[in-house]
Amino acid sequence: MKNEIPVDGMVITRDTVFAPGVYVLPHGIEIAANDVTLDGNGAVIVGENFAGRGVSIHKRKNVTVKNLSVERFYHGIHAENCRALRLERNRVRNTHELAGPNIFLDVWLGRAHAYGGGIFLAGVADGVLEGNDAQHQQNGILMYGCQNMRVTQNNASFNSGYGLMLFESSQNVVEENTADFCCRIYHYDQTGEPYHNGADAAGLVMMCNSSRNTIRRNKLRGGGDGVFLGGFHRDKIKTPCNENLFEANDGSYSPNIAFEATFSQGNIFRGNRADFCNYGFWLGYSSHTRVEGNSIRQNRAAGVAIEHGHHNTIEANAFERNADGAQFWVTANPPFTDFYPECSVSADNVIRRNAFTHNDCGLRVWTERGAANPNACARFTIEDNTFSDNRAAFWQEGLAESRVQNT
């Protein structure tokens, strides 16, 4: 097959191999047929003014794009309503980025108003993203309404927003990716804190009914959060992200939280690292969540923090040198119980077979003074944990009807 020189606005309808080189294509290229492979062969296509799309793929199936470099567009590769799409070993960097640090990111933006980024997918199913380089921009990989995708061995590090984002995307496998140091600093214009380190940037963001995904063996270190998962929309709509599996990921070194998962049910966190953050796990208003076999070390505020959560299980974790190892509480004036009345109490939580070592306080459970129900923390099972060399092993106030039996 003869190598072809890409031209601006090129429409591709058959298998194509580009000639190596650098090409300025302000209008990008389009793949406009099914069953097509585009081999970039090391070619670089460059946009103008961070506008438009480098590669557009719309309503196609069995399309492969590989070995292509794309930069200086709003979205580097833009695919919508496709099936069996494969993106392999592409380098998509330097796309549109918000200017300056004074914008706190909006994690609820839908696909029609999405931020710029390297790879943008909307309504894509049964595809593969493998070995792509999506570093050094605002967002690496954005997935809206995607199903049954395999996202593996991509590098989306050093972005000022999201390494990877799942929005209304379920039943995907996200494994062995790296999205380190995805963070930003927001400077306040008003009095108060001079800045916020993070500003809703994260290695992995999961929003708006992104459920039953498998998130395994990813490096998500040093982000605003390692994982930010939110199940309650700012417009006061329930959009839970349920029954996701997080296994063997590393979310350490965040200035905020290694793994945040709120207003959602049935998520499992197994064998992860949540070390050297402000919080290891923040799981407010969550239920039926399992946190098991994780490394939770040297977090400044707490290893696990659950506000107004119920039926959660914290088992066989290593809590070491945190301020609080694990903490559960109910506030006096909870802001969300009109929407989640079942979370007016913190009840039926299980803390079992954990090792609490060298924490300021191993386990802390309390009902805030002034709460309507002074015993809103109830029916905890706290058993078979080991407490060693903590300044305080277990502190409680307003805990009722609970079983406590430890070594």
Side-chain angles (χ1 to χ4, degrees):
M1 182 183 300
K2 182 180 177 180
N3 292 353
E4 296 192 29
I5 294 176
V7 297
D8 196 24
M10 185 177 189
V11 177
I12 295 172
T13 58
R14 57 182 174 80
D15 290 350
T16 301
V17 180
F18 282 161
V22 178
Y23 306 94
V24 178
L25 309 179
H27 299 95
I29 63 175
E30 179 185 359
I31 298 177
N34 299 329
D35 307 308
V36 167
T37 294
L38 170 61
D39 187 344
N41 194 27
V44 182
I45 64 172
V46 182
E48 287 184 349
N49 302 317
F50 303 99
R53 302 163 181 175
V55 179
S56 297
I57 313 164
H58 181 57
K59 292 185 178 179
R60 301 300 168 192
K61 64 180 180 180
N62 297 321
V63 168
T64 297
V65 179
K66 61 184 180 181
N67 305 321
L68 181 67
S69 290
V70 186
E71 58 182 79
R72 296 185 68 84
F73 292 90
Y74 191 85
H75 289 136
I77 298 176
H78 185 285
E80 193 167 0
N81 298 326
C82 295
R83 297 188 69 85
L85 174 71
R86 298 185 69 91
L87 303 179
E88 301 175 350
R89 301 184 301 281
N90 300 291
R91 184 181 186 271
V92 193
R93 292 188 177 192
N94 194 24
T95 56
H96 185 270
E97 188 167 9
L98 293 172
N102 279 6
I103 297 176
F104 210 98
L105 296 180
D106 185 348
V107 293
W108 294 285
L109 280 182
R111 67 183 74 181
H113 304 286
Y115 293 123
I119 296 172
F120 174 95
L121 307 180
V124 177
D126 305 318
V128 175
L129 277 67
E130 183 172 359
N132 299 286
D133 179 346
Q135 303 180 81
H136 298 288
Q137 51 207 325
Q138 183 177 326
N139 303 300
I141 298 171
L142 301 170
M143 297 171 57
Y144 291 83
C146 295
Q147 311 288 326
N148 299 315
M149 298 290 293
R150 183 170 178 265
V151 182
T152 182
Q153 298 180 9
N154 303 284
N155 194 338
S157 300
F158 304 107
N159 293 318
S160 66
Y162 318 137
L164 304 98
M165 183 181 207
L166 303 183
F167 192 105
E168 297 175 337
S169 294
S170 298
Q171 296 175 244
N172 302 287
V173 176
V174 179
E175 62 182 4
E176 298 181 354
N177 302 282
T178 301
D180 289 338
F181 303 110
C182 294
C183 197
R184 65 192 291 112
I185 295 177
Y186 172 79
H187 291 275
Y188 290 97
D189 295 326
Q190 302 170 347
T191 58
E193 294 182 71
Y195 65 88
H196 182 283
N197 196 348
D200 277 355
L204 171 63
V205 174
M206 300 175 64
M207 300 297 296
C208 292
N209 300 303
S210 292
S211 298
R212 300 178 302 284
N213 297 287
T214 298
I215 314 298
R216 182 183 290 130
R217 296 190 298 277
N218 300 283
K219 296 176 182 177
L220 308 167
R221 301 166 297 190
D225 291 326
V227 172
F228 181 100
L229 178 153
F232 190 52
H233 197 278
R234 66 179 175 195
D235 294 335
K236 300 180 179 179
I237 302 168
K238 293 182 179 181
T239 57
C241 299
N242 295 339
E243 298 176 6
N244 297 287
L245 171 64
F246 298 86
E247 187 172 53
N249 304 284
D250 189 350
S252 301
Y253 303 104
S254 168
N256 296 301
I257 303 163
F259 298 91
E260 178 172 348
T262 57
F263 303 102
S264 298
Q265 298 82 46
N267 292 302
I268 298 173
F269 296 90
R270 179 186 299 135
N272 303 284
R273 286 192 62 194
D275 304 338
F276 300 100
C277 302
N278 199 34
Y279 291 89
F281 293 84
W282 181 280
L283 307 172
Y285 287 81
S286 63
S287 63
H288 301 280
T289 300
R290 295 190 64 87
V291 180
E292 56 189 28
N294 301 281
S295 170
I296 308 172
R297 293 181 165 89
Q298 294 193 236
N299 294 290
R300 292 180 297 279
V304 170
I306 304 181
E307 169 193 10
H308 289 267
H310 61 91
H311 291 91
N312 299 296
T313 298
I314 312 300
E315 185 167 6
N317 302 283
F319 292 93
E320 183 178 341
R321 298 186 185 279
N322 305 284
D324 283 350
Q327 52 184 214
F328 297 78
W329 75 100
V330 168
T331 60
N333 297 295
F336 299 109
T337 52
D338 287 347
F339 305 95
Y340 297 88
E342 69 276 15
C343 292
S344 61
V345 297
S346 181
D348 301 293
N349 295 298
V350 176
I351 302 98
R352 177 189 294 129
R353 295 197 304 112
N354 302 282
F356 294 94
T357 308
H358 296 299
N359 302 282
D360 288 348
C361 183
L363 175 61
R364 190 186 297 265
V365 182
W366 74 96
T367 301
E368 198 171 273
R369 294 181 183 181
N373 178 359
N375 295 309
C377 293
R379 301 186 303 279
F380 276 56
T381 299
I382 304 170
E383 63 184 9
D384 300 328
N385 302 285
T386 59
F387 293 87
S388 177
D389 296 321
N390 303 282
R391 291 185 179 180
F394 174 38
W395 181 91
Q396 67 86 17
E397 183 175 356
L399 174 64
E401 304 175 53
S402 295
R403 169 186 169 83
V404 180
Q405 186 173 346
N406 302 288
T407 58

Coordinates of all heavy atoms in Angstrom, one line a residue, residues 158-211:
F158 N -0.1 14.1 33.9 CA 0.3 15.5 33.8 C -0.8 16.4 33.1 O -0.4 17.3 32.4 CB 1.6 15.7 33.2 CG 2.7 14.9 33.8 CD1 3.2 13.7 33.2 CD2 3.2 15.3 35.0 CE1 4.2 13.0 33.8 CE2 4.2 14.5 35.7 CZ 4.7 13.4 35.0
N159 N -2.0 16.1 33.4 CA -3.1 16.9 32.8 C -3.7 17.8 33.9 O -3.6 17.5 35.1 CB -4.2 16.0 32.3 CG -3.8 15.3 31.0 OD1 -3.1 15.8 30.2 ND2 -4.2 14.0 30.9
S160 N -4.2 19.0 33.5 CA -4.7 19.9 34.5 C -6.1 19.7 34.9 O -6.7 20.5 35.6 CB -4.5 21.4 34.0 OG -5.3 21.6 32.8
G161 N -6.7 18.7 34.3 CA -8.1 18.4 34.6 C -8.3 16.9 34.9 O -7.9 16.4 36.0
Y162 N -8.7 16.1 34.0 CA -9.0 14.7 34.2 C -8.0 13.8 33.4 O -7.8 14.1 32.2 CB -10.4 14.3 33.8 CG -11.5 15.4 34.2 CD1 -12.5 15.7 33.3 CD2 -11.5 15.9 35.5 CE1 -13.4 16.7 33.6 CE2 -12.4 16.9 35.8 CZ -13.4 17.2 34.9 OH -14.4 18.2 35.2
G163 N -7.5 12.8 34.0 CA -6.7 11.9 33.2 C -7.7 11.1 32.4 O -7.7 11.1 31.1
L164 N -8.7 10.4 33.0 CA -9.8 9.7 32.4 C -11.1 10.1 33.0 O -11.2 10.4 34.2 CB -9.6 8.2 32.5 CG -8.3 7.6 32.0 CD1 -7.3 7.4 33.2 CD2 -8.5 6.3 31.3
M165 N -12.1 10.2 32.2 CA -13.5 10.5 32.7 C -14.5 9.5 32.1 O -14.5 9.3 30.9 CB -13.9 11.9 32.3 CG -15.2 12.3 32.9 SD -15.8 14.0 32.5 CE -16.8 14.4 33.9
L166 N -15.3 9.0 33.0 CA -16.5 8.2 32.6 C -17.7 9.0 33.0 O -17.9 9.3 34.2 CB -16.5 6.8 33.3 CG -15.3 5.9 33.1 CD1 -15.5 4.6 33.7 CD2 -15.0 5.7 31.6
F167 N -18.6 9.3 32.1 CA -19.8 10.0 32.3 C -21.0 9.3 31.6 O -20.9 9.0 30.4 CB -19.6 11.4 31.7 CG -20.7 12.4 32.1 CD1 -20.4 13.4 33.0 CD2 -22.0 12.4 31.5 CE1 -21.3 14.4 33.4 CE2 -22.9 13.3 31.9 CZ -22.6 14.3 32.8
E168 N -21.9 8.8 32.4 CA -23.0 8.0 31.9 C -22.4 6.8 31.2 O -23.0 6.3 30.2 CB -23.9 8.8 31.0 CG -24.6 9.9 31.7 CD -25.5 10.8 30.8 OE1 -25.2 10.8 29.6 OE2 -26.4 11.5 31.3
S169 N -21.4 6.2 31.7 CA -20.7 5.1 31.0 C -20.6 3.9 31.9 O -20.1 4.0 33.1 CB -19.3 5.5 30.6 OG -19.4 6.5 29.6
S170 N -21.0 2.7 31.5 CA -21.1 1.6 32.3 C -20.6 0.3 31.6 O -20.5 0.3 30.4 CB -22.6 1.3 32.7 OG -23.1 2.4 33.5
Q171 N -20.2 -0.6 32.5 CA -19.8 -1.9 32.0 C -18.5 -1.9 31.2 O -18.4 -2.6 30.2 CB -20.9 -2.7 31.3 CG -22.1 -3.0 32.2 CD -23.3 -3.6 31.4 OE1 -24.3 -3.0 31.3 NE2 -23.0 -4.8 30.9
N172 N -17.6 -1.0 31.6 CA -16.4 -0.8 30.9 C -15.3 -1.4 31.8 O -15.4 -1.5 33.0 CB -16.1 0.6 30.6 CG -17.1 1.3 29.8 OD1 -17.2 1.0 28.6 ND2 -18.0 2.1 30.4
V173 N -14.1 -1.8 31.1 CA -13.0 -2.2 31.9 C -11.9 -1.2 31.7 O -11.5 -0.9 30.5 CB -12.5 -3.6 31.4 CG1 -11.2 -4.0 32.0 CG2 -13.6 -4.7 31.6
V174 N -11.4 -0.6 32.8 CA -10.3 0.4 32.7 C -9.2 -0.2 33.6 O -9.2 -0.3 34.8 CB -10.8 1.7 33.3 CG1 -9.7 2.7 33.3 CG2 -12.1 2.2 32.6
E175 N -8.1 -0.7 32.9 CA -7.1 -1.3 33.6 C -5.7 -1.0 33.1 O -5.5 -0.8 31.9 CB -7.3 -2.9 33.6 CG -7.3 -3.5 32.2 CD -7.5 -5.0 32.3 OE1 -7.8 -5.5 33.4 OE2 -7.5 -5.6 31.2
E176 N -4.7 -1.0 34.0 CA -3.3 -0.8 33.7 C -3.0 0.5 33.0 O -2.1 0.6 32.2 CB -2.8 -2.0 33.0 CG -2.9 -3.3 33.8 CD -2.4 -4.5 33.1 OE1 -2.0 -4.4 31.9 OE2 -2.3 -5.6 33.7
N177 N -3.8 1.5 33.3 CA -3.5 2.9 32.8 C -2.7 3.7 33.8 O -2.7 3.4 35.0 CB -4.8 3.6 32.5 CG -5.7 2.9 31.5 OD1 -5.4 2.9 30.3 ND2 -6.7 2.2 32.0
T178 N -2.1 4.7 33.3 CA -1.4 5.7 34.2 C -2.0 7.0 34.0 O -2.0 7.5 32.9 CB 0.1 5.7 33.9 OG1 0.7 4.4 34.1 CG2 0.8 6.6 34.9
A179 N -2.4 7.6 35.1 CA -2.9 9.0 35.1 C -2.4 9.7 36.3 O -3.2 10.0 37.2 CB -4.5 9.0 34.9
D180 N -1.1 9.9 36.4 CA -0.5 10.5 37.5 C -0.5 12.1 37.4 O -0.4 12.6 36.3 CB 0.9 10.0 37.7 CG 1.0 8.6 38.2 OD1 0.1 8.1 38.7 OD2 2.1 8.0 37.9
F181 N -0.5 12.7 38.6 CA -0.3 14.2 38.6 C -1.3 15.0 37.8 O -1.0 15.9 37.1 CB 1.1 14.6 38.3 CG 2.1 13.9 39.2 CD1 2.9 12.9 38.6 CD2 2.2 14.1 40.5 CE1 3.8 12.2 39.4 CE2 3.1 13.5 41.3 CZ 3.9 12.5 40.8
C182 N -2.6 14.6 37.8 CA -3.7 15.3 37.2 C -4.2 16.2 38.2 O -5.1 15.8 39.1 CB -4.7 14.4 36.6 SG -4.1 13.4 35.2
C183 N -3.8 17.5 38.3 CA -4.1 18.4 39.4 C -4.1 19.8 38.8 O -3.5 20.1 37.8 CB -3.1 18.2 40.5 SG -3.7 18.9 42.1
R184 N -4.7 20.7 39.6 CA -4.7 22.1 39.3 C -4.8 22.9 40.6 O -5.2 22.3 41.6 CB -5.8 22.5 38.3 CG -7.2 22.4 38.9 CD -8.3 22.5 37.8 NE -8.4 23.8 37.2 CZ -8.1 24.1 36.0 NH1 -7.6 23.2 35.2 NH2 -8.3 25.4 35.5
I185 N -4.4 24.2 40.6 CA -4.6 25.0 41.7 C -5.5 26.2 41.4 O -5.3 26.9 40.4 CB -3.2 25.5 42.2 CG1 -2.3 24.4 42.6 CG2 -3.3 26.6 43.3 CD1 -0.9 24.8 43.0
Y186 N -6.6 26.3 42.2 CA -7.6 27.3 42.0 C -7.3 28.4 43.0 O -7.2 28.2 44.2 CB -9.0 26.8 42.2 CG -10.1 27.8 42.3 CD1 -10.6 28.3 41.1 CD2 -10.6 28.2 43.5 CE1 -11.6 29.3 41.1 CE2 -11.6 29.2 43.5 CZ -12.1 29.7 42.3 OH -13.1 30.6 42.4
H187 N -7.1 29.6 42.5 CA -6.9 30.8 43.4 C -8.2 31.5 43.7 O -8.8 32.0 42.7 CB -5.8 31.7 42.8 CG -4.5 31.2 42.7 ND1 -3.6 31.2 43.7 CD2 -3.8 30.5 41.7 CE1 -2.4 30.6 43.4 NE2 -2.6 30.1 42.1
Y188 N -8.5 31.7 44.9 CA -9.7 32.4 45.3 C -9.5 33.9 45.1 O -8.5 34.5 45.4 CB -10.1 32.1 46.8 CG -10.5 30.7 47.0 CD1 -9.6 29.8 47.5 CD2 -11.8 30.3 46.8 CE1 -10.0 28.5 47.8 CE2 -12.2 29.0 47.0 CZ -11.3 28.1 47.5 OH -11.7 26.8 47.8
D189 N -10.6 34.5 44.6 CA -10.6 36.0 44.4 C -11.1 36.7 45.7 O -10.8 37.9 45.9 CB -11.5 36.4 43.3 CG -10.9 35.9 41.9 OD1 -9.7 35.8 41.8 OD2 -11.7 35.6 41.1
Q190 N -11.8 35.9 46.5 CA -12.4 36.5 47.7 C -11.5 36.2 48.9 O -10.5 35.4 48.8 CB -13.8 35.9 48.0 CG -14.7 36.2 46.8 CD -16.0 35.5 46.9 OE1 -16.2 34.6 47.7 NE2 -17.0 35.9 46.0
T191 N -11.8 36.7 50.1 CA -11.1 36.4 51.3 C -11.3 35.0 51.7 O -12.3 34.4 51.3 CB -11.5 37.4 52.4 OG1 -12.9 37.2 52.7 CG2 -11.2 38.8 52.1
G192 N -10.4 34.5 52.4 CA -10.4 33.1 52.8 C -9.2 32.4 52.4 O -8.1 32.9 52.4
E193 N -9.3 31.1 52.1 CA -8.2 30.3 51.7 C -7.6 31.0 50.4 O -8.3 31.4 49.5 CB -8.6 28.9 51.4 CG -9.0 28.1 52.6 CD -9.4 26.7 52.2 OE1 -8.4 25.9 51.9 OE2 -10.6 26.4 52.1
P194 N -6.2 31.0 50.3 CA -5.6 31.7 49.2 C -5.7 30.8 47.9 O -5.7 31.3 46.8 CB -4.2 31.8 49.6 CG -3.9 30.8 50.7 CD -5.3 30.7 51.4
Y195 N -5.9 29.5 48.1 CA -6.0 28.6 46.9 C -6.6 27.3 47.3 O -6.6 26.9 48.5 CB -4.6 28.4 46.3 CG -3.6 27.7 47.1 CD1 -3.6 26.3 47.1 CD2 -2.7 28.3 48.0 CE1 -2.7 25.6 47.9 CE2 -1.8 27.7 48.8 CZ -1.8 26.3 48.7 OH -0.9 25.6 49.5
H196 N -7.0 26.5 46.3 CA -7.5 25.2 46.5 C -6.6 24.3 45.6 O -6.6 24.4 44.4 CB -9.0 25.0 46.2 CG -9.5 23.6 46.4 ND1 -9.3 22.6 45.6 CD2 -10.3 23.1 47.4 CE1 -9.9 21.5 46.0 NE2 -10.5 21.8 47.1
N197 N -6.0 23.3 46.2 CA -5.1 22.4 45.5 C -6.0 21.2 45.0 O -6.4 20.4 45.8 CB -4.0 21.9 46.4 CG -2.8 21.3 45.6 OD1 -3.0 21.0 44.4 ND2 -1.7 21.1 46.2
G198 N -6.3 21.2 43.8 CA -7.1 20.1 43.2 C -8.2 20.6 42.3 O -8.2 20.3 41.1
A199 N -9.1 21.4 42.9 CA -10.2 22.1 42.1 C -11.0 21.1 41.2 O -11.3 21.4 40.1 CB -9.6 23.2 41.3
D200 N -11.2 19.9 41.7 CA -12.0 18.8 41.1 C -11.2 18.2 39.9 O -11.9 17.5 39.0 CB -13.4 19.3 40.7 CG -14.4 19.1 41.9 OD1 -13.9 18.6 42.9 OD2 -15.5 19.5 41.7
A201 N -10.0 18.4 39.8 CA -9.1 17.6 38.9 C -9.0 16.2 39.5 O -9.0 16.1 40.8 CB -7.8 18.3 38.6
A202 N -8.7 15.2 38.7 CA -8.5 13.9 39.3 C -7.9 12.9 38.2 O -8.1 13.2 37.0 CB -9.8 13.3 39.7
G203 N -7.3 11.9 38.7 CA -6.8 10.9 37.7 C -7.9 10.2 37.0 O -7.9 10.0 35.8
L204 N -9.0 9.9 37.7 CA -10.2 9.2 37.2 C -11.4 9.9 37.7 O -11.6 9.9 39.0 CB -10.2 7.7 37.4 CG -11.5 7.0 37.1 CD1 -11.7 7.0 35.6 CD2 -11.4 5.5 37.6
V205 N -12.3 10.4 36.9 CA -13.6 11.0 37.3 C -14.7 10.1 36.8 O -14.7 9.7 35.6 CB -13.7 12.4 36.7 CG1 -15.1 12.9 37.0 CG2 -12.7 13.3 37.3
M206 N -15.6 9.8 37.6 CA -16.8 9.0 37.3 C -18.1 9.7 37.8 O -18.2 9.9 39.0 CB -16.7 7.6 37.9 CG -15.4 6.8 37.4 SD -15.2 5.2 38.3 CE -16.6 4.3 37.7
M207 N -18.9 10.0 36.8 CA -20.1 10.8 37.1 C -21.4 10.2 36.4 O -21.3 9.5 35.4 CB -19.9 12.2 36.7 CG -18.7 12.9 37.3 SD -18.8 13.1 39.1 CE -20.2 14.2 39.2
C208 N -22.5 10.6 37.0 CA -23.8 10.5 36.4 C -24.1 9.1 35.8 O -24.1 8.8 34.6 CB -23.9 11.5 35.2 SG -24.0 13.2 35.9
N209 N -24.4 8.2 36.8 CA -24.8 6.8 36.4 C -23.8 6.0 35.7 O -24.1 5.3 34.7 CB -26.1 6.8 35.6 CG -27.3 7.5 36.4 OD1 -27.6 7.1 37.5 ND2 -27.8 8.6 35.8
S210 N -22.5 6.1 36.1 CA -21.5 5.3 35.6 C -21.3 4.1 36.5 O -20.8 4.2 37.6 CB -20.1 6.1 35.5 OG -20.2 7.1 34.5
S211 N -21.8 3.0 36.1 CA -22.0 1.8 37.0 C -21.4 0.5 36.4 O -21.3 0.4 35.2 CB -23.5 1.6 37.4 OG -24.0 2.7 38.0

